[in-house]
Amino acid sequence: MTDAQESRAVNLDINGKLRRFDIDDPELPGWIEEHALGSGGYPYDDKLNKEKFEKQLEKLQIELVKVQFWLKATGTRLMALFEGRDAAGKGGTIFSINAYLNPRSARIVALNKPTETEAGQWYFQRYIEHFPTSGEIVLFDRSWYNRAGVEPVMGFCTPEQYRDFLKAVPRFEDTISDEGIIFFKFWLDIGREMQLKRFHDRRHDPLKIWKLSPMDIAALNKWDDYTEKRDLMFEKTHKKETPWAIVRANDKRRARLNVIRHILLTLDYEGKDKDAIGEIDDRILGFGPKFLK
């Protein structure tokens, strides 16, 4: 083991026990493997069967194609943002939604850190530039809520900027709703051991290693800080008009199906097949901070 590898090994307080985690060790610790799926209060003992998942997903994706035709015909605008801890499954969920949509009127927005010019603008300005036009779907892979989590935890904004943001968000999102844009906010929630497992998978998969950033490593000991910021974010920004849909995402399959179901059941589009959509699993998807209590 090199010195660089040794420096990435950390001691983590997991439920009152000190655990050593070395992300560069190709062998996943048994305590992570054993507890990953059930971590964070996840309600199921196993993952959804892959064949069952794929059959259900296809039906939902057919409905999403109908939605896109409806949006185009009516000029309706739809926007959804996806937040969650690193490795929560935001990108994969967005891919499942977007897979069969016409890219001419369905966009994914995943912004890099602000440029010098953007950093001098009104904080929300660079996001507004990507809002949907008539008949369009826009899916944000992370959003302005960076300032509610990663920025204050990692010291990328001042305490005053953080406080001002939490005050401004409800007013900002009221304008989105008042403008007539159909707007969804999703928080994908995972347990700590599941996050560590996914980080480890990324580190040792040559096709996924690009997903593991130095920021992920730096945040390994900041789980409680992120939890505190998450809970305050929900308290300040969960409203009837712009609610947070919270999704237990230790099993990516159940998470993706329920995210899409929620979108479809909310919309009143032509040709809607409720039998194909099915019902929300209320053990997986709920609303507001009480869902995680």
Side-chain angles (χ1 to χ4, degrees):
M1 181 178 292
T2 66
D3 291 341
Q5 288 174 317
E6 179 65 28
S7 68
R8 283 152 56 106
V10 293
N11 292 317
L12 304 174
D13 184 348
I14 308 290
N15 299 321
K17 286 188 176 182
L18 201 61
R19 300 283 197 177
R20 183 174 176 79
F21 177 63
D22 185 351
I23 198 166
D24 294 306
D25 186 340
E27 184 174 348
L28 182 69
W31 58 270
I32 294 180
E33 186 69 59
E34 180 181 357
H35 297 290
L37 185 61
S39 61
Y42 191 73
Y44 288 100
D45 296 328
D46 54 11
K47 294 182 180 180
L48 183 66
N49 174 270
K50 183 178 180 181
E51 183 178 354
K52 184 176 180 181
F53 163 71
E54 290 176 347
K55 287 181 179 179
Q56 293 181 16
L57 179 62
E58 182 179 18
K59 292 179 181 179
L60 297 177
Q61 289 172 329
I62 290 170
E63 294 299 303
L64 286 169
V65 172
K66 295 178 187 178
V67 166
Q68 191 169 36
F69 279 120
W70 171 73
L71 292 173
K72 199 69 176 174
T74 60
T76 304
R77 294 165 291 173
L78 190 154
M79 183 166 70
L81 61 82
F82 294 82
E83 293 288 347
R85 300 180 194 266
D86 293 318
K90 298 178 290 296
T93 302
I94 290 170
F95 178 81
S96 293
I97 296 169
N98 198 57
Y100 294 100
L101 299 181
N102 185 338
R104 291 181 176 85
S105 55
R107 291 187 287 116
I108 298 171
V109 178
L111 301 183
N112 289 317
K113 67 179 183 179
T115 64
E116 184 177 349
T117 298
E118 289 170 337
Q121 296 172 342
W122 178 43
Y123 178 74
F124 297 101
Q125 187 168 337
R126 72 187 191 120
Y127 296 101
I128 294 172
E129 292 176 2
H130 298 278
F131 277 20
T133 189
S134 174
E136 193 175 34
I137 301 173
V138 173
L139 306 172
F140 279 90
D141 186 345
R142 291 199 180 277
S143 67
W144 46 92
Y145 280 101
N146 281 329
R147 182 146 291 180
V150 63
E151 289 190 20
V153 170
M154 302 305 294
F156 297 152
C157 68
T158 67
E160 183 179 21
Q161 288 173 325
Y162 171 58
R163 290 193 299 270
D164 289 346
F165 171 82
L166 291 178
K167 286 168 53 180
V169 167
R171 298 194 300 269
F172 172 66
E173 292 180 351
D174 280 344
T175 65
I176 297 173
S177 179
D178 292 344
E179 179 62 21
I181 297 173
I182 298 174
F183 178 44
F184 296 92
K185 299 190 297 189
F186 291 101
W187 175 271
L188 304 187
D189 199 75
I190 55 172
R192 194 172 191 186
E193 288 91 339
M194 179 55 75
Q195 185 188 55
L196 293 173
K197 182 180 186 304
R198 291 182 183 175
F199 280 171
H200 188 270
D201 290 346
R202 291 177 176 185
R203 168 64 183 86
H204 298 283
D205 185 336
L207 295 176
K208 296 180 180 179
I209 194 168
W210 63 271
K211 293 185 176 183
L212 187 69
S213 72
M215 192 69 60
D216 296 333
I217 306 301
L220 283 174
N221 273 309
K222 297 183 181 295
W223 178 270
D224 291 340
D225 292 338
Y226 274 104
T227 300
E228 179 185 339
K229 295 298 188 292
R230 178 201 67 186
D231 292 348
L232 185 58
M233 177 188 76
F234 290 152
E235 178 187 332
K236 299 294 186 182
T237 66
H238 174 70
K239 296 176 57 181
K240 179 180 178 181
E241 298 79 9
T242 54
W244 277 104
I246 300 173
V247 186
R248 297 189 185 276
N250 281 1
D251 177 7
K252 295 178 182 180
R253 296 169 186 167
R254 287 191 175 94
R256 292 170 187 177
L257 294 178
N258 282 279
V259 165
I260 300 174
R261 284 190 184 116
H262 173 52
I263 293 172
L264 295 172
L265 291 171
T266 302
L267 304 176
D268 186 20
Y269 59 93
E270 186 176 353
K272 185 173 183 175
D273 185 343
K274 290 186 177 180
D275 289 335
I277 297 170
E279 297 182 352
I280 296 291
D281 182 343
D282 60 11
R283 301 174 72 187
I284 296 297
L285 187 148
F287 298 92
K290 292 182 179 179
F291 184 66
L292 292 180
K293 300 300 183 185

